[in-house]
């Protein structure tokens, strides 16, 4: 993967660049948000620090998400839950609080890449008989191309938002527990921020403008609406 590293801490940037290059990932380093936005189209993956000198990283992420669905992991010293949830709701695919282990970052990058690249449900290949397209009212979900349209207008979901929606769409009417969804989408429910699933469900409802697309069954879980 071509990695765009947006980080103004030179020592951390050096360490990350060395680790990524050793594992075969070319790295382009920048220290400012405006430079990162100019180089976004040359990257397969973005690692984004929030404490940038020219712009808050969350503001940059908002601008990036208006024009690109490139996978993003936020790296920051801000560990409070409010900031974590802001990052996820703004469009980050994952979030790591500094200091972190390089091995954990690489594992999370691999997990995000697998989610973005797969067209089937997490953990298995799709069956030939499994429907790849589904309509819920005026919402059209294409599992193969990982696209969602509402009344003919395409809606840009993050990779994880689509993973949540796709998991529910593969079994319409079936209630999925929180544990089941988080295990399938995050790989391990214990790796997910406590409210990250709620944030992603909120993101799907908000971006589609269809609050009933995903129904909440309190104390049980979620299912696709309709």
């Amino acid at each position: 993967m071509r990695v765009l590293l947006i980080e103004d801490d030179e020592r951390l940037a050096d360490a990350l660049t060395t680790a990524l290059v050793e594992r075969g990932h070319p790295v382009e380093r920048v220290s400012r948000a405006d430079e990162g936005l100019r180089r976004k189209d040359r990257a397969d993956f973005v690692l984004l620090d929030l404490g940038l000198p020219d712009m808050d990283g969350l503001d940059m992420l908002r601008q990036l998400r208006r024009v690109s669905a490139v996978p993003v992991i936020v790296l920051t010293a801000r560990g409070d839950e409010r900031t974590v949830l802001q990052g996820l709701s703004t469009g980050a695919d994952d979030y790591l609080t500094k200091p972190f282990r390089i091995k954990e970052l690489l594992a999370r990058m691999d997990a995000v890449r697998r989610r973005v690249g797969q067209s089937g449900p997490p953990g298995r290949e799709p069956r030939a008989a499994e429907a790849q397209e589904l309509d819920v009212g005026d919402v059209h979900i294409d599992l193969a191309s990982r696209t969602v349209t509402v009344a003919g207008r395409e809606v840009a979901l993050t990779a994880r938002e689509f993973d949540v929606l796709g998991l529910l769409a593969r079994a319409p009417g079936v209630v999925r527990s929180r544990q089941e969804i988080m295990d399938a989408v995050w790989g391990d429910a214990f790796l997910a921020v406590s409210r990250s699933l709620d944030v992603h469900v909120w993101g799907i409802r908000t971006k589609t403008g269809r609050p009933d697309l995903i129904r909440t069954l309190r104390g049980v879980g979620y299912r696709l609406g309709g």
Side-chain angles (χ1 to χ4, degrees):
M1 292 184 292
R2 297 169 299 172
V3 177
L4 174 61
L5 174 60
I6 308 170
E7 170 63 68
D8 66 338
D9 183 329
E10 290 192 11
R11 292 181 61 184
L12 177 58
D14 286 342
L16 290 175
T17 298
T18 298
L20 290 165
V21 170
E22 285 178 349
R23 289 159 179 80
H25 303 306
V27 177
E28 184 170 10
R29 289 170 49 180
V30 299
S31 60
R32 295 171 57 87
D34 56 358
E35 295 172 330
L37 289 169
R38 285 197 297 269
R39 290 166 171 75
K40 66 184 184 307
D41 295 330
R42 307 204 310 236
D44 302 312
F45 209 107
V46 173
L47 300 178
L48 172 64
D49 178 37
L50 295 188
L52 300 174
D54 61 324
M55 183 189 303
D56 185 83
L58 290 176
D59 291 331
M60 184 207 154
L61 183 56
R62 291 186 187 94
Q63 293 189 31
L64 178 66
R65 279 293 175 246
R66 294 189 189 114
V67 295
S68 174
V70 62
V72 176
I73 291 182
V74 163
L75 311 174
T76 182
R78 306 177 200 171
D80 60 286
E81 187 180 31
R82 181 174 179 271
T83 302
V84 172
L85 295 175
Q86 279 184 319
L88 294 172
S89 62
T90 301
D93 294 285
D94 209 339
Y95 194 109
L96 272 178
T97 302
K98 300 175 183 176
F100 53 83
R101 293 173 298 174
I102 296 293
K103 287 184 178 180
E104 182 180 4
L105 171 62
L106 293 169
R108 287 177 181 258
M109 289 176 64
D110 287 341
V112 170
R113 181 175 59 174
R114 286 195 299 270
R115 289 195 300 270
V116 171
Q118 69 191 8
S119 60
R124 66 176 175 84
E125 294 298 318
R127 299 188 302 270
E130 188 175 71
Q132 292 294 295
E133 297 186 39
L134 179 71
D135 291 311
V136 183
D138 61 353
V139 178
H140 181 75
I141 304 167
D142 190 323
L143 298 172
S145 65
R146 295 177 61 87
T147 57
V148 177
T149 59
V150 179
R153 174 183 60 86
E154 186 167 348
V155 175
L157 299 181
T158 67
R160 271 195 173 158
E161 287 169 348
F162 189 88
D163 289 335
V164 172
L165 181 60
L167 183 67
L168 298 175
R170 289 183 178 91
V174 174
V175 178
R176 303 281 193 179
S177 70
R178 292 177 61 87
Q179 180 78 30
E180 182 181 1
I181 296 171
M182 293 171 77
D183 280 341
V185 173
W186 277 263
D188 184 339
F190 294 104
L191 290 178
V193 178
S194 61
R195 291 178 54 204
S196 55
L197 175 57
D198 304 303
V199 171
H200 285 77
V201 169
W202 173 84
I204 295 166
R205 289 167 172 163
T206 301
K207 292 177 181 179
T208 60
R210 301 294 182 268
D212 293 332
L213 179 60
I214 295 179
R215 297 185 180 273
T216 302
L217 284 79
R218 294 193 179 280
V220 181
Y222 298 93
R223 70 171 175 82
L224 200 66

